[in-house]
């Protein structure tokens, strides 16, 4: 027997109520949590504390219509340790007065949007960042009352289902609601006896009328006449903004209510019984300037917007109007004078202590539009007000950008003045030092250029170009040491973090190890967790020496393509890590003993100690094999003669690798000089030659030209970029023969286990010395 529609509806109501009551545990039926909120730049903001394994103070947006539970900024989620390395999540709690919300996991968000909002409105936010959004999927668990006139939102447990109508209370109006796609909708009457639905929202200050509907009604500026909800005409209270509404409803969509309505009415929402109660809390005061702006905007004419801005310089919508005028002028390809007027409106609409900061955004807009001279005009506006900016480095950044533009225009002397001014406040800024170095280079001051290029080398944003600059100016400096990794390393010593150890590995004289351990890392130059491991590797290299440990770095593009990524590294990764399901031992000793894959700089000692203990233990395991290497290099290429001694082994291969002892590439890892980077296979077989000894000896002769290696690396990068990877510098595709080294590995091709390893530097011909 089928259920009646009314019975099905009651069942749905009961089911909804049960789910809501379960999810809002911690609130008694008669308890009300009164949570303070504020409106900041058109966003409803709630201060709170957020916790998982750790706790932070923060702000969240409260968006009643957002289709989410809780979104969070990545750094905030990391700060409370909400997610473990294995992908598991710790439940997140949002702690508010008298109530706490709990979600199983956060959703991703637009980090840059949160960062910009926090930067611009830090004072209004109480210096705590906005780090996320509470949305409809969480808020729908509660009986919610919006009392924005008093500065609060109230939360209570969902009401019990009832068939009784809400009681009449003087001064209030009961309005039925529907719920569709987690949105609360009110019936609305408008126009000539027309009806539809209007949603309740808190993400925007303005209330919206669908722009297509406004056009249909003959009022494209949104002034459609009475807009009646539950007998209340909202038109005297707010000017409805015409926008495209991205929602649907069976009764037809009129629009979305915003904070401006909720500032005039206390609205209580009972989702369980599908009712709401409205109480007028503030008298109507129609915002005529808002409607005038919507009309000027609708005209699509710069003149109308200019007139509105001149009449309403300090109005709430002035920043938006000024930005729209600027975009119109850019679309018109307006002349410098007209565009400057538009920029002045934008500049005037900024807070007094953010005008230099705002000028940086104006400069970026002009540069993106290809209008360099207008970008200089924007910078001058910012510099004039820079003394009062809340972010002092904004002035230095304006000087830096001006200097960069002027340098591009070959106005070297003017550029130098601005760049030098910027350098006083931003001494470690890579791109700034790069531009200043170019200035000195153009002016023939090669010693100063070299010094600035060295500073630029330390930044991932300028390092690759700095290396090219160093190579250009070094020959022009009298008595300068030849450009090399070793020379650069001496010059940057003390400017980058280092790690040295005082101890050396001393084996028992009666039990000298017959094995040299191989310590391999798969990493990326932009992996920010690499720095501690890289420093630990330096210590391990010093402690063990090549007699007892060979260290090799393979670069893979898991974070981003870099010039250090190459076919050899990818083959090793695919064959001996992914194919064997050994991601957890991707960073390993002899392919079988896991070592820490990442460490912060302050944890370098712990990483060093852990790896040293494991490597020392591995050295106690004997090896039945030995490797000898003779290698030589000249300006043309490298030649290696390898002998592997010992019994035959099933599945064994001999890998002969060209590694570079030091490669300059400053990535986001903060590692500038990368050690023992695997560059190419020297065997004919890319994966290594089968180990086929005769009388327990196998000899291999390997030769490659530098040109063939560079071609292989360049072709690989070209192919990856053609497949969609970001373009990278090619400077590191040239192997420095003076940094070349040969590593030989005897390995099980199935398991990746290593039986023996060795490393030798080639003898250099006279043309390389």
């Amino acid at each position: 027997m089928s259920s009646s529609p009314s019975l099905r509806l009651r069942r749905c109501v009961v089911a909804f109520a049960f789910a809501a009551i379960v999810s809002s545990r911690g609130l008694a039926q008669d308890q009300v949590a009164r949570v303070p909120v504020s409106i900041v730049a058109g966003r409803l903001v709630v201060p709170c504390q957020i916790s998982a394994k750790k706790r932070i103070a923060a702000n969240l947006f409260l968006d009643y219509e957002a289709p989410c539970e809780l979104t969070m900024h990545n750094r905030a989620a990391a700060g409370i340790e909400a997610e473990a390395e294995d992908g598991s999540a710790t439940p997140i709690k949002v702690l508010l007065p008298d109530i706490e919300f709990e979600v199983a996991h956060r959703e991703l968000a637009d980090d840059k949007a949160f960062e910009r909002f926090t930067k611009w409105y830090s004072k209004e936010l109480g210096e705590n960042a906005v780090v996320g959004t509470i949305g409809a999927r969480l808020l729908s668990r509660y009986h919610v009352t919006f009392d924005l006139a008093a500065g609060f939102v109230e939360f209570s447990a969902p009401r019990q289902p009832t068939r009784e109508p809400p009681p009449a209370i003087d001064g209030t109006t009961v309005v039925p609601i529907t719920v569709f796609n987690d949105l609360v909708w009110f019936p609305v009457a408008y126009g000539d006896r027309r009806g539809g639905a209007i949603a309740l929202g808190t993400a925007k200050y303005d209330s919206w009328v669908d722009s297509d509907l406004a056009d249909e009604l003959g009022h494209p500026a949104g002034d459609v006449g009475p807009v009646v909800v539950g007998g209340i005409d909202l038109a005297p209270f707010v000017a409805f903004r015409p926008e495209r509404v991205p929602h649907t409803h069976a009764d037809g969509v009129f629009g979305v209510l915003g904070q401006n309505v909720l500032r005039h009415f206390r609205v209580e929402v009972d989702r369980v019984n599908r009712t709401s109660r409205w109480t007028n809390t503030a008298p109507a005061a129609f915002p005529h300037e808002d409607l005038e702006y919507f009309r000027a905007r609708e005209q699509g004419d710069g003149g109308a917007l200019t007139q509105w801005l001149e009449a309403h310089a300090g109005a709430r919508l002035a920043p938006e109007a000024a930005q729209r005028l600027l975009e119109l002028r850019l679309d018109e390809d307006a002349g410098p004078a007209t565009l400057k007027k538009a920029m002045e409106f934008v500049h005037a609409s900024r807070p007094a202590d953010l005008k230099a900061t705002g000028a940086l955004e104006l400069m970026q807009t002009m540069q993106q539009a290809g209008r360099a001279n207008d970008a200089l005009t924007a910078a001058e506006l910012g510099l004039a007000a820079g003394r009062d900016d809340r972010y002092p480095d904004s002035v230095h950044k304006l000087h830096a950008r001006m200097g960069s533009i002027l340098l591009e225009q070959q106005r070297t002397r003017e550029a130098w003045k601005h760049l030098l001014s910027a350098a006083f406040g931003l001494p470690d800024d890579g791109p700034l030092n790069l531009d200043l170095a170019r200035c000195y280079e153009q002016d023939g001051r090669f010693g100063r250029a070299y010094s600035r290029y060295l500073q630029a080398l330390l930044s991932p944003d300028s390092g690759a170009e700095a290396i090219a600059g160093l190579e250009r100016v070094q020959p022009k400096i009298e008595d300068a040491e030849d450009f090399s990794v070793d020379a650069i390393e001496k010059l940057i010593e003390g400017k980058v973090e280092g790690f040295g150890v005082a101890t050396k590995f001393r084996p028992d004289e009666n039990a000298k190890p017959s094995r040299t351990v191989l310590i391999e890392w798969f990493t990326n130059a932009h992996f920010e967790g690499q720095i501690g491991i890289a420093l630990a590797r330096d210590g391990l290299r010093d402690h063990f020496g090549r007699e007892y440990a060979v260290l090799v770095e393979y670069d893979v593009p898991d974070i981003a393509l870099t010039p250090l990524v190459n076919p050899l590294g990818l083959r090793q990764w695919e064959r001996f890590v992914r194919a064997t399901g050994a991601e957890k031992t991707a960073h390993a000793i002899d392919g079988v003993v896991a070592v820490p894959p990442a460490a912060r700089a302050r944890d370098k000692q712990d990483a060093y100690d852990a790896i040293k203990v494991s490597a020392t233990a591995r050295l106690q395991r004997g090896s039945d094999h030995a490797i000898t290497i003779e290698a030589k290099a000249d300006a043309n290429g490298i030649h290696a003669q390898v002998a592997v001694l010992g019994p035959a082994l099933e599945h064994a291969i001999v890998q002969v690798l060209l590694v570079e002892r030091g490669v300059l590439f400053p990535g986001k890892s903060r590692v500038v000089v990368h050690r023992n980077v695997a560059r190419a296979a020297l065997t004919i077989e890319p994966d290594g030659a089968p180990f086929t000894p005769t009388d327990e000896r196998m000899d291999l002769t390997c030769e490659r030209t530098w040109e063939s290696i560079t071609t292989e690396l360049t072709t690989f990068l070209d192919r990856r970029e053609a497949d969609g990877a970001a373009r990278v510098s090619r400077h590191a595709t040239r192997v420095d023969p003076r940094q070349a080294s040969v590593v030989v590995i005897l390995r099980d091709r199935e398991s990746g286990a290593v039986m023996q390893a060795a490393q030798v530097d080639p003898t250099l011909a006279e043309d390389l010395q």
Side-chain angles (χ1 to χ4, degrees):
M1 181 177 177
S2 62
S3 301
S4 69
S6 60
L7 180 57
R8 289 197 298 270
L9 176 60
R10 286 199 299 275
R11 286 175 177 170
C12 289
V13 169
V14 171
F16 178 89
F18 178 77
I21 290 169
V22 170
S23 62
S24 57
R25 59 189 179 277
L27 278 177
Q29 190 65 37
D30 58 350
Q31 181 183 355
V32 176
R34 194 164 164 82
V35 176
V37 296
S38 58
I39 296 174
V40 178
R43 300 305 302 266
L44 191 60
V45 177
V46 55
C48 63
Q49 292 193 333
I50 307 173
S51 72
K53 292 183 179 179
K54 294 184 178 180
R55 179 182 296 193
I56 60 171
N59 288 289
L60 295 172
F61 292 140
L62 198 154
D63 290 0
Y64 200 60
E65 69 272 42
C68 65
E69 192 172 34
L70 174 69
T71 68
M72 274 192 73
H73 191 292
N74 284 320
R75 279 204 299 273
I80 62 173
E81 297 184 6
E83 290 140 5
E85 290 183 4
D86 62 4
S88 62
T90 300
I92 298 171
K93 292 183 179 180
V94 178
L95 309 174
L96 299 164
D98 302 322
I99 190 173
E100 66 179 44
F101 301 142
E102 182 174 312
V103 298
H105 56 82
R106 56 112 183 194
E107 299 169 52
L108 297 178
D110 182 354
D111 289 359
K112 290 185 178 179
F114 290 138
E115 290 164 8
R116 185 188 185 280
F117 193 92
T118 297
K119 181 173 184 176
W120 276 83
Y121 305 106
S122 57
K123 287 185 176 179
E124 295 85 344
L125 295 170
E127 303 302 332
N128 287 329
V130 172
V131 301
T133 300
I134 299 172
R137 291 175 191 155
L138 190 153
L139 298 173
S140 61
R141 304 174 190 172
Y142 299 91
H143 187 94
V144 180
T145 300
F146 296 97
D147 193 2
L148 299 195
F152 291 93
V153 174
E154 297 175 0
F155 297 91
S156 55
R159 297 295 184 260
Q160 296 294 331
T162 179
R163 298 180 185 178
E164 300 298 321
I169 300 176
D170 288 344
T172 70
T173 302
V174 174
V175 182
I177 66 171
T178 55
V179 178
F180 186 69
N181 286 340
D182 280 333
L183 290 177
V184 169
W185 297 82
F186 306 103
V188 61
Y190 60 92
D192 186 13
R193 291 183 291 181
R194 295 185 61 170
I198 189 166
L200 175 59
T202 60
K204 307 289 185 185
Y205 182 84
D206 288 315
S207 295
W208 288 10
V209 55
D210 185 73
S211 55
D212 289 340
L213 178 61
D215 288 343
E216 178 187 334
L217 295 171
H219 295 278
D223 49 339
V224 298
V227 178
V228 181
V229 174
I232 303 170
D233 184 7
L234 302 179
F237 291 87
V238 300
F240 281 87
R241 171 191 283 264
E243 298 285 355
R244 290 192 179 276
V245 177
H247 308 299
T248 60
H249 191 279
D251 297 332
V253 174
F254 176 85
V256 181
L257 294 177
Q259 299 159 20
N260 54 2
V261 166
L262 294 176
R263 291 186 68 180
H264 291 87
F265 293 90
R266 186 177 191 271
V267 178
E268 179 183 356
V269 180
D270 181 353
R271 284 178 176 253
V272 173
N273 295 295
R274 300 296 196 258
T275 62
S276 66
R277 188 180 296 276
W278 291 51
T279 306
N280 183 218
T281 54
F286 186 77
H288 292 282
E289 69 275 11
D290 290 5
L291 176 57
E292 290 171 14
Y293 167 64
F294 298 148
R295 287 173 174 165
R297 185 183 73 160
E298 183 58 32
Q299 291 181 38
D301 174 63
L305 287 170
T306 298
Q307 290 178 7
W308 186 89
L309 283 162
E310 289 173 343
H312 304 287
R316 176 182 66 88
L317 292 170
E320 178 187 329
Q323 188 63 37
R324 183 172 288 270
L325 175 61
L326 180 64
E327 291 168 2
L328 275 174
R329 295 309 190 205
L330 287 172
D331 289 343
E332 296 167 357
D333 197 22
T338 302
L339 195 61
K340 181 181 178 182
K341 182 67 175 176
M343 286 194 288
E344 287 173 343
F345 279 125
V346 173
H347 184 69
S349 72
R350 308 288 197 197
D353 60 350
L354 284 171
K355 291 189 182 295
T357 299
L360 285 168
E361 292 189 358
L362 263 182
M363 284 193 80
Q364 184 175 358
T365 299
M366 294 302 108
Q367 287 180 282
Q368 289 174 343
R371 303 191 63 142
N373 288 329
D374 297 305
L376 294 174
T377 300
E380 289 165 357
L381 291 172
L383 290 177
R387 187 184 299 273
D388 299 322
D389 203 277
R390 74 176 72 163
Y391 299 108
D393 63 349
S394 291
V395 171
H396 303 303
K397 290 177 180 178
L398 286 172
H399 278 298
R401 288 196 186 179
M402 290 184 78
S404 184
I405 292 170
L406 292 165
L407 184 62
E408 194 73 25
Q409 295 177 343
Q410 300 296 312
R411 296 158 66 179
T412 306
R413 188 66 183 173
E414 294 173 77
W416 173 75
K417 290 179 180 178
H418 285 288
L419 292 170
L420 201 58
S421 294
F424 286 119
L426 304 169
D428 299 321
D429 186 279
L432 168 59
N433 279 302
L434 184 68
D435 281 337
L436 201 47
R438 288 169 172 163
C439 238
Y440 287 127
E441 185 179 358
Q442 287 183 13
D443 207 33
R445 291 185 279 180
F446 300 118
R448 292 198 173 191
Y450 196 88
S451 176
R452 288 292 177 176
Y453 278 131
L454 275 177
Q455 289 177 266
L457 172 67
L458 305 180
S459 168
D461 297 323
S462 55
E465 293 174 275
I467 292 170
L470 288 166
E471 290 177 329
R472 282 196 310 271
V473 301
Q474 181 274 334
K476 301 174 183 178
I477 301 174
E478 189 175 351
D479 298 327
E481 186 176 350
D482 288 348
F483 180 84
S484 67
V485 173
D486 294 334
I488 295 298
E489 194 166 16
K490 292 176 187 175
L491 293 170
I492 64 175
E493 188 174 1
K495 297 180 180 178
V496 296
E497 191 161 0
F499 181 54
V501 295
T503 64
K504 296 289 185 181
F505 177 71
R506 304 294 183 195
D508 188 326
E509 291 184 4
N510 299 319
K512 188 174 181 180
S514 59
R515 169 188 296 273
T516 298
V517 297
L518 175 70
I519 308 177
E520 298 173 290
W521 278 269
F522 292 86
T523 189
N524 184 279
H526 294 310
F527 172 43
E528 296 182 28
Q530 184 190 168
I531 180 65
I533 292 295
L535 293 168
R537 288 200 306 250
D538 289 347
L540 292 165
R541 186 183 64 247
D542 294 342
H543 175 74
F544 286 108
R546 285 188 188 168
E547 183 179 0
Y548 300 111
V550 171
L551 293 85
V552 178
E553 172 186 315
Y554 305 101
D555 285 74
V556 293
D558 270 13
I559 294 176
L561 186 67
T562 76
L564 305 185
V565 179
N566 56 60
L568 170 60
L570 277 184
R571 281 196 304 271
Q572 297 286 84
W573 171 257
E574 294 290 347
R575 181 156 190 178
F576 299 116
V577 180
R578 285 185 172 170
T580 59
E583 276 84 352
K584 291 183 180 178
T585 56
H587 315 271
I589 300 172
D590 285 346
V592 293
V593 180
V595 300
R600 293 167 293 192
R602 65 174 179 266
D603 299 324
K604 58 185 180 291
Q605 183 70 51
D606 292 340
Y608 165 79
D609 290 339
I611 300 169
K612 183 180 73 171
V613 168
S614 296
T616 302
R618 184 69 181 170
L619 282 168
Q620 307 311 310
R621 298 174 66 93
S623 175
D624 296 329
H625 296 81
I627 297 172
T628 64
I629 312 168
E630 293 182 6
K632 58 184 180 180
D634 57 26
N636 184 58
I638 188 166
H639 173 95
Q641 190 68 41
V642 176
V644 183
L645 311 176
L649 294 169
E650 189 177 8
H651 307 311
I653 56 174
V654 179
Q655 295 183 303
V656 184
L657 314 181
L658 170 70
V659 302
E660 218 171 338
R661 298 192 309 278
V663 183
L664 284 175
F665 182 74
K668 293 179 181 177
S669 65
R670 293 190 291 137
V671 177
V672 177
V673 180
H674 300 260
R675 305 290 184 186
N676 268 26
V677 179
R679 303 292 263 157
L682 295 181
T683 52
I684 295 174
E685 303 89 342
D687 292 328
F691 179 49
T692 55
T694 301
D695 296 330
E696 297 194 352
R697 179 184 179 100
M698 177 179 171
D699 291 293
L700 276 173
T701 299
C702 304
E703 285 186 319
R704 287 200 68 175
T705 65
W706 305 123
E707 183 181 1
S708 73
I709 294 171
T710 298
T711 300
E712 177 183 307
L713 300 180
T714 302
T715 301
F716 169 79
L717 294 177
D718 290 343
R719 188 166 58 250
R720 299 290 292 198
E721 290 174 358
D723 290 339
R727 179 164 177 77
V728 298
S729 166
R730 298 294 191 270
H731 84 271
T733 58
R734 302 191 310 272
V735 176
D736 183 351
R738 295 165 296 179
Q739 293 291 323
S741 194
V742 177
V743 169
V744 179
I745 305 166
L746 179 63
R747 185 195 298 269
D748 187 300
R749 69 169 183 265
E750 301 295 332
S751 68
V754 174
M755 285 71 79
Q756 190 60 280
Q759 179 176 1
V760 164
D761 295 340
T763 302
L764 300 181
E766 289 186 9
D767 56 5
L768 292 178
Q769 294 179 3

